[in-house]
Coordinates of all heavy atoms in Angstrom, one line a residue:
M184 N 342.3 163.0 357.1 CA 343.1 162.6 355.9 C 344.3 161.8 356.4 O 344.9 162.1 357.4 CB 343.5 163.8 355.1 CG 342.5 164.5 354.3 SD 343.1 165.1 352.8 CE 341.6 165.5 351.9
A185 N 344.7 160.9 355.5 CA 345.9 160.1 355.8 C 347.1 160.8 355.5 O 347.2 161.7 354.6 CB 345.8 158.8 355.1
T186 N 348.3 160.5 356.2 CA 349.5 161.1 355.9 C 350.3 160.1 355.2 O 350.3 158.9 355.4 CB 350.3 161.5 357.2 OG1 349.5 162.4 357.9 CG2 351.6 162.1 356.9
I187 N 351.0 160.6 354.0 CA 351.8 159.7 353.3 C 353.2 160.3 353.2 O 353.4 161.4 353.7 CB 351.2 159.5 351.8 CG1 351.2 160.8 351.1 CG2 349.9 158.8 351.9 CD1 350.8 160.7 349.7
N188 N 354.2 159.6 352.6 CA 355.5 160.1 352.5 C 355.9 160.2 351.1 O 355.5 159.5 350.2 CB 356.5 159.1 353.2 CG 356.4 159.1 354.7 OD1 356.1 160.1 355.3 ND2 356.4 157.9 355.3
L189 N 356.7 161.3 350.8 CA 357.2 161.6 349.5 C 358.7 161.7 349.7 O 359.2 162.0 350.8 CB 356.8 162.9 349.0 CG 355.2 163.3 349.0 CD1 355.0 164.6 348.5 CD2 354.5 162.3 348.1
L190 N 359.5 161.5 348.6 CA 360.9 161.6 348.7 C 361.2 162.8 347.7 O 361.1 162.8 346.5 CB 361.6 160.4 348.2 CG 363.1 160.2 348.4 CD1 363.4 160.3 349.9 CD2 363.7 159.0 347.7
V191 N 361.7 163.9 348.3 CA 362.0 165.2 347.6 C 363.5 165.4 347.7 O 364.0 165.7 348.8 CB 361.2 166.4 348.1 CG1 361.5 167.6 347.3 CG2 359.7 166.0 348.0
N192 N 364.2 165.4 346.7 CA 365.7 165.5 346.6 C 366.4 164.6 347.6 O 367.3 165.1 348.4 CB 366.0 167.0 346.9 CG 365.5 167.9 345.7 OD1 365.4 167.5 344.6 ND2 365.3 169.2 346.1
G193 N 365.9 163.4 347.8 CA 366.4 162.5 348.7 C 366.0 162.6 350.1 O 366.4 161.8 351.0
R194 N 365.1 163.6 350.4 CA 364.6 163.8 351.8 C 363.2 163.4 351.9 O 362.4 163.7 351.0 CB 364.7 165.3 352.1 CG 364.2 165.7 353.4 CD 364.3 167.2 353.6 NE 363.2 167.7 354.4 CZ 362.6 168.9 354.1 NH1 363.1 169.8 353.3 NH2 361.6 169.3 354.9
V195 N 362.8 162.6 352.9 CA 361.4 162.2 353.1 C 360.7 163.3 353.7 O 361.1 163.9 354.7 CB 361.4 161.0 354.0 CG1 360.0 160.6 354.3 CG2 362.1 159.7 353.4
I196 N 359.5 163.6 353.1 CA 358.6 164.6 353.7 C 357.2 164.0 353.8 O 356.8 163.1 353.0 CB 358.5 165.9 352.8 CG1 357.9 165.6 351.5 CG2 359.9 166.5 352.7 CD1 357.5 167.0 350.7
A197 N 356.5 164.4 354.8 CA 355.1 164.0 355.0 C 354.1 164.8 354.2 O 354.4 166.0 354.1 CB 354.8 164.0 356.5
A198 N 353.2 164.3 353.7 CA 352.1 165.0 353.0 C 350.8 164.4 353.3 O 350.6 163.3 353.6 CB 352.4 164.9 351.5
E199 N 349.7 165.3 353.2 CA 348.3 164.8 353.4 C 347.9 164.2 352.1 O 348.1 164.8 351.0 CB 347.5 166.0 353.7 CG 347.8 166.7 355.0 CD 346.7 166.7 356.0 OE1 345.6 166.4 355.6 OE2 347.0 166.9 357.2
S200 N 347.3 163.0 352.1 CA 346.8 162.4 350.9 C 345.8 163.3 350.3 O 345.0 163.9 351.0 CB 346.2 161.0 351.2 OG 345.2 161.1 352.0
G201 N 345.7 163.4 349.0 CA 344.8 164.2 348.3 C 345.3 165.6 348.0 O 344.6 166.4 347.3
S202 N 346.4 166.0 348.6 CA 347.0 167.3 348.3 C 347.8 167.3 347.0 O 348.2 166.2 346.5 CB 347.8 167.8 349.5 OG 349.0 167.1 349.6
S203 N 348.1 168.5 346.5 CA 348.9 168.6 345.3 C 350.4 168.4 345.8 O 350.7 168.7 346.9 CB 348.7 169.9 344.6 OG 349.3 171.0 345.4
V204 N 351.3 168.0 344.8 CA 352.6 167.9 345.1 C 353.2 169.3 345.5 O 354.0 169.4 346.5 CB 353.4 167.4 343.9 CG1 354.9 167.5 344.1 CG2 353.0 166.0 343.6
A205 N 352.8 170.3 344.9 CA 353.2 171.7 345.2 C 352.8 172.1 346.6 O 353.7 172.6 347.4 CB 352.6 172.7 344.2
A206 N 351.6 171.8 347.0 CA 351.2 172.2 348.4 C 352.0 171.4 349.4 O 352.3 171.9 350.4 CB 349.7 171.9 348.5
A207 N 352.2 170.1 349.1 CA 353.0 169.3 350.0 C 354.4 169.8 350.2 O 354.9 169.8 351.3 CB 353.0 167.8 349.5
M208 N 355.0 170.2 349.1 CA 356.4 170.7 349.2 C 356.4 172.0 349.9 O 357.3 172.2 350.8 CB 357.0 170.8 347.8 CG 357.2 169.5 347.1 SD 357.7 169.6 345.3 CE 359.2 170.5 345.4
L209 N 355.5 172.9 349.6 CA 355.5 174.2 350.3 C 355.3 174.0 351.8 O 355.9 174.7 352.6 CB 354.4 175.1 349.7 CG 354.7 175.7 348.3 CD1 353.5 176.3 347.7 CD2 355.9 176.6 348.3
S210 N 354.4 173.1 352.1 CA 354.1 172.9 353.5 C 355.3 172.3 354.3 O 355.4 172.4 355.5 CB 352.9 171.8 353.7 OG 351.7 172.4 353.2
S211 N 356.2 171.7 353.6 CA 357.4 171.2 354.1 C 358.6 172.2 354.2 O 359.7 171.8 354.4 CB 357.9 169.9 353.5 OG 356.9 168.9 353.7
G212 N 358.3 173.4 353.7 CA 359.3 174.4 353.7 C 360.2 174.5 352.5 O 361.1 175.2 352.5
I213 N 359.8 173.8 351.4 CA 360.6 173.8 350.2 C 360.1 175.0 349.4 O 358.9 175.0 349.0 CB 360.5 172.5 349.4 CG1 361.0 171.4 350.3 CG2 361.1 172.6 348.1 CD1 360.6 170.0 349.7
T214 N 360.9 175.9 349.0 CA 360.5 177.1 348.4 C 361.1 177.3 347.0 O 360.7 178.2 346.3 CB 360.7 178.4 349.2 OG1 362.1 178.5 349.6 CG2 359.9 178.4 350.5
T215 N 362.1 176.5 346.7 CA 362.7 176.6 345.4 C 362.4 175.3 344.6 O 362.8 174.2 345.0 CB 364.3 176.7 345.5 OG1 364.5 178.0 346.1 CG2 364.8 176.7 344.0
F216 N 361.6 175.5 343.6 CA 361.1 174.2 342.8 C 362.0 174.0 341.6 O 362.1 172.9 341.1 CB 359.7 174.4 342.4 CG 358.7 174.2 343.5 CD1 358.8 174.8 344.8 CD2 357.6 173.4 343.3 CE1 357.9 174.5 345.7 CE2 356.7 173.1 344.3 CZ 356.9 173.7 345.5
R217 N 362.6 175.1 341.1 CA 363.4 175.0 339.9 C 364.2 176.3 339.9 O 364.0 177.2 340.7 CB 362.6 174.8 338.6 CG 361.8 176.0 338.2 CD 360.9 175.8 337.0 NE 360.4 177.0 336.5 CZ 360.9 177.9 335.7 NH1 362.1 177.6 335.2 NH2 360.3 178.9 335.3
T218 N 365.1 176.4 338.9 CA 365.8 177.7 338.7 C 365.6 178.1 337.3 O 365.5 177.3 336.3 CB 367.3 177.5 339.0 OG1 367.9 176.5 338.2 CG2 367.6 177.2 340.5
S219 N 365.6 179.5 337.1 CA 365.4 180.0 335.8 C 366.7 179.8 335.0 O 367.7 179.4 335.5 CB 365.0 181.5 335.9 OG 366.2 182.2 336.3
V220 N 366.6 180.2 333.7 CA 367.9 180.0 332.9 C 369.0 180.9 333.4 O 370.2 180.7 333.2 CB 367.6 180.3 331.4 CG1 366.7 179.3 330.8 CG2 367.0 181.7 331.2
S221 N 368.7 182.0 334.2 CA 369.7 182.9 334.7 C 370.0 182.5 336.1 O 370.8 183.1 336.7 CB 369.2 184.3 334.7 OG 368.0 184.5 335.4
G222 N 369.5 181.4 336.6 CA 369.9 180.9 337.9 C 369.0 181.4 339.1 O 369.3 181.1 340.2
E223 N 367.9 182.1 338.8 CA 367.1 182.6 339.9 C 366.2 181.5 340.4 O 365.6 180.7 339.6 CB 366.2 183.7 339.4 CG 367.1 185.0 339.0 CD 366.2 186.0 338.4 OE1 365.0 185.8 338.3 OE2 366.8 187.1 338.2
P224 N 366.0 181.4 341.7 CA 365.0 180.4 342.2 C 363.6 180.7 341.8 O 363.2 181.8 341.9 CB 365.2 180.5 343.7 CG 365.7 181.9 344.0 CD 366.5 182.2 342.7
R225 N 362.8 179.7 341.5 CA 361.4 179.9 341.1 C 360.6 178.9 341.9 O 361.0 177.9 342.5 CB 361.3 179.5 339.6 CG 362.2 180.2 338.6 CD 362.2 181.6 338.7 NE 360.9 182.1 338.2 CZ 360.6 183.4 338.2 NH1 361.5 184.3 338.5 NH2 359.4 183.8 337.8
A226 N 359.3 179.4 342.1 CA 358.3 178.6 342.9 C 356.9 178.8 342.4 O 356.7 179.6 341.5 CB 358.4 179.1 344.4
P227 N 356.0 178.0 342.8 CA 354.6 178.1 342.3 C 354.1 179.6 342.4 O 354.3 180.3 343.4 CB 353.8 177.2 343.3 CG 354.8 176.2 343.6 CD 356.1 176.9 343.8
L228 N 353.4 180.0 341.4 CA 352.9 181.3 341.4 C 351.3 181.3 341.2 O 350.6 181.8 342.1 CB 353.4 182.1 340.2 CG 352.9 183.6 340.0 CD1 353.3 184.4 341.2 CD2 353.5 184.1 338.7
C229 N 350.8 180.6 340.3 CA 349.3 180.6 340.0 C 348.6 179.5 340.8 O 347.4 179.7 341.2 CB 349.0 180.6 338.5 SG 349.3 178.9 337.8
G230 N 349.2 178.4 340.9 CA 348.5 177.3 341.6 C 347.5 176.6 340.8 O 346.7 175.8 341.3
M231 N 347.3 177.0 339.5 CA 346.2 176.4 338.7 C 346.7 176.0 337.3 O 345.9 175.9 336.4 CB 345.1 177.4 338.7 CG 345.4 178.7 338.0 SD 343.9 179.8 338.2 CE 344.5 181.2 337.2
G232 N 348.0 175.7 337.1 CA 348.5 175.1 335.9 C 348.8 176.1 334.7 O 348.9 175.6 333.6
I233 N 348.8 177.4 335.0 CA 349.0 178.3 334.0 C 350.4 178.8 333.8 O 351.0 178.9 332.7 CB 348.1 179.6 334.1 CG1 346.6 179.2 334.3 CG2 348.3 180.6 333.1 CD1 346.1 178.5 333.0
C234 N 351.1 179.0 335.0 CA 352.4 179.8 334.9 C 353.6 178.9 334.6 O 354.7 179.3 334.2 CB 352.6 180.6 336.2 SG 353.0 179.6 337.6
F235 N 353.5 177.6 334.9 CA 354.6 176.7 334.7 C 355.8 176.9 335.7 O 356.9 176.4 335.4 CB 355.1 176.5 333.3 CG 354.1 175.9 332.4 CD1 352.9 176.4 332.0 CD2 354.4 174.6 331.8 CE1 352.0 175.8 331.1 CE2 353.5 174.0 331.0 CZ 352.3 174.5 330.7
E236 N 355.6 177.7 336.7 CA 356.7 178.0 337.6 C 357.0 177.0 338.6 O 358.0 177.0 339.3 CB 356.5 179.4 338.3 CG 356.4 180.6 337.4 CD 357.8 181.0 337.0 OE1 358.8 180.2 337.2 OE2 357.9 182.1 336.3
C237 N 356.0 176.0 338.8 CA 356.1 174.9 339.8 C 356.7 173.6 339.2 O 356.6 172.6 339.8 CB 354.8 174.7 340.3 SG 353.6 174.0 339.0
R238 N 357.3 173.7 338.0 CA 357.8 172.5 337.4 C 358.9 171.8 338.2 O 359.8 172.4 338.7 CB 358.3 172.8 336.0 CG 357.2 173.0 335.0 CD 357.8 173.4 333.7 NE 358.3 174.8 333.8 CZ 359.2 175.3 332.9 NH1 359.6 174.5 331.9 NH2 359.6 176.5 333.0
V239 N 358.7 170.4 338.3 CA 359.8 169.6 339.0 C 359.8 168.3 338.2 O 359.0 168.1 337.3 CB 359.4 169.3 340.5 CG1 359.4 170.6 341.3 CG2 358.0 168.7 340.6
T240 N 360.7 167.5 338.6 CA 360.7 166.1 338.0 C 360.0 165.2 338.9 O 360.4 165.1 340.1 CB 362.2 165.7 337.7 OG1 362.8 166.6 336.9 CG2 362.2 164.2 337.2
I241 N 359.0 164.5 338.5 CA 358.2 163.5 339.3 C 358.3 162.2 338.6 O 357.9 162.0 337.5 CB 356.7 164.0 339.4 CG1 356.7 165.4 340.1 CG2 355.9 162.9 340.2 CD1 355.3 165.9 340.2
E242 N 358.9 161.2 339.3 CA 359.0 159.9 338.9 C 359.7 159.9 337.5 O 359.3 159.1 336.6 CB 357.6 159.2 338.8 CG 356.9 159.0 340.2 CD 357.6 158.0 341.1 OE1 358.4 157.2 340.6 OE2 357.4 158.2 342.3
G243 N 360.7 160.7 337.3 CA 361.5 160.7 336.1 C 360.9 161.6 335.0 O 361.5 161.8 334.0
Q244 N 359.7 162.1 335.2 CA 359.0 162.9 334.2 C 359.4 164.4 334.4 O 359.0 165.0 335.4 CB 357.5 162.7 334.2 CG 356.8 163.6 333.2 CD 355.3 163.6 333.3 OE1 354.8 162.8 334.0 NE2 354.7 164.5 332.5
D245 N 360.2 164.9 333.5 CA 360.7 166.3 333.6 C 359.5 167.3 333.4 O 358.6 167.0 332.7 CB 361.8 166.6 332.7 CG 363.0 165.8 333.0 OD1 363.3 165.5 334.1 OD2 363.9 165.6 332.0
H246 N 359.7 168.4 334.0 CA 358.7 169.6 333.7 C 357.3 169.3 334.1 O 356.3 169.8 333.4 CB 358.8 170.1 332.2 CG 360.2 170.4 331.8 ND1 360.9 171.5 332.3 CD2 361.1 169.8 331.0 CE1 362.1 171.6 331.8 NE2 362.3 170.5 330.9
A247 N 357.1 168.5 335.1 CA 355.8 168.2 335.6 C 355.3 169.3 336.5 O 356.0 169.8 337.3 CB 355.8 166.9 336.4
R248 N 354.1 169.8 336.2 CA 353.5 170.9 337.0 C 353.1 170.4 338.3 O 352.0 169.8 338.4 CB 352.4 171.6 336.2 CG 353.0 172.5 335.0 CD 351.8 173.1 334.2 NE 351.2 171.9 333.5 CZ 350.1 172.0 332.7 NH1 349.5 173.2 332.7 NH2 349.6 171.0 332.1
S249 N 353.8 170.7 339.3 CA 353.5 170.1 340.6 C 352.2 170.5 341.2 O 351.6 169.8 342.1 CB 354.7 170.3 341.6 OG 354.8 171.7 341.8
C250 N 351.7 171.7 340.8 CA 350.4 172.1 341.3 C 349.2 171.3 340.8 O 348.1 171.4 341.2 CB 350.2 173.6 341.1 SG 349.8 174.1 339.4
Q251 N 349.5 170.6 339.7 CA 348.4 169.8 339.0 C 348.4 168.4 339.2 O 347.7 167.6 338.7 CB 348.5 170.1 337.5 CG 348.3 171.5 337.1 CD 346.9 172.1 337.5 OE1 345.9 171.6 337.0 NE2 346.9 173.0 338.4
I252 N 349.4 167.9 340.1 CA 349.5 166.5 340.3 C 349.3 166.1 341.8 O 349.9 166.8 342.7 CB 351.0 166.0 339.9 CG1 351.1 166.3 338.3 CG2 351.2 164.6 340.2 CD1 352.5 166.1 337.8
T253 N 348.5 165.1 342.0 CA 348.2 164.7 343.4 C 349.2 163.8 343.9 O 349.8 162.9 343.2 CB 346.8 164.0 343.4 OG1 345.8 164.9 342.9 CG2 346.4 163.6 344.8
V254 N 349.6 164.0 345.2 CA 350.6 163.2 345.8 C 350.2 161.7 345.9 O 349.0 161.4 345.9 CB 350.9 163.7 347.3 CG1 351.6 165.1 347.2 CG2 349.7 163.6 348.1
Q255 N 351.2 160.9 345.8 CA 351.0 159.5 346.0 C 352.1 158.9 346.9 O 353.3 159.4 346.8 CB 351.1 158.7 344.6 CG 349.9 159.0 343.7 CD 350.0 158.3 342.4 OE1 350.7 157.3 342.2 NE2 349.3 158.8 341.4
D256 N 351.8 158.0 347.7 CA 352.8 157.5 348.7 C 354.0 157.0 348.0 O 353.9 156.2 347.0 CB 352.2 156.4 349.5 CG 353.0 156.0 350.7 OD1 353.7 156.9 351.2 OD2 353.0 154.8 351.1
G257 N 355.2 157.4 348.4 CA 356.5 157.0 347.9 C 356.9 157.7 346.6 O 357.9 157.3 346.0
M258 N 356.2 158.7 346.2 CA 356.5 159.5 345.0 C 357.9 160.1 345.1 O 358.3 160.6 346.2 CB 355.4 160.6 344.9 CG 355.4 161.3 343.6 SD 354.0 162.4 343.5 CE 352.9 161.6 342.4
V259 N 358.6 160.0 344.0 CA 360.0 160.5 344.0 C 360.0 161.8 343.2 O 359.6 161.8 342.0 CB 361.0 159.5 343.5 CG1 362.4 160.1 343.4 CG2 361.0 158.2 344.3
I260 N 360.5 162.9 343.8 CA 360.5 164.2 343.2 C 361.8 164.8 343.3 O 362.5 164.7 344.3 CB 359.4 165.1 344.0 CG1 358.0 164.5 343.9 CG2 359.4 166.5 343.4 CD1 357.1 164.8 345.0
T261 N 362.2 165.5 342.2 CA 363.5 166.2 342.2 C 363.2 167.7 341.7 O 362.5 167.9 340.7 CB 364.4 165.5 341.2 OG1 364.6 164.2 341.6 CG2 365.8 166.2 341.3
T262 N 363.8 168.6 342.4 CA 363.6 170.0 342.1 C 364.6 170.3 341.0 O 365.6 169.7 340.8 CB 363.7 171.0 343.2 OG1 365.0 170.8 343.8 CG2 362.7 170.7 344.3
Ligands
FES128 S1 351.9 177.1 340.0 FE1 351.4 177.9 338.1 S2 351.5 176.1 336.8 FE2 351.8 175.3 338.8

């Protein structure tokens, strides 16, 4: 598989093409995807689009479920 680059919170990370955004972020050591209303760190739980714990901003789209979106080269992501 080819390796592509993503920009996560201003940091370039490498990802395998065809992987989900969540998998790419976790593989790069990113474990906080968002914070709860009480400020607790949250991260992917189900990996299949049910729990909504993996939400991030992708290309300006808020609350995108990162486990359901395939990486694309140059994708800009904010936790
Ligand atoms: S990890 Fe549960 S919706 Fe993405």
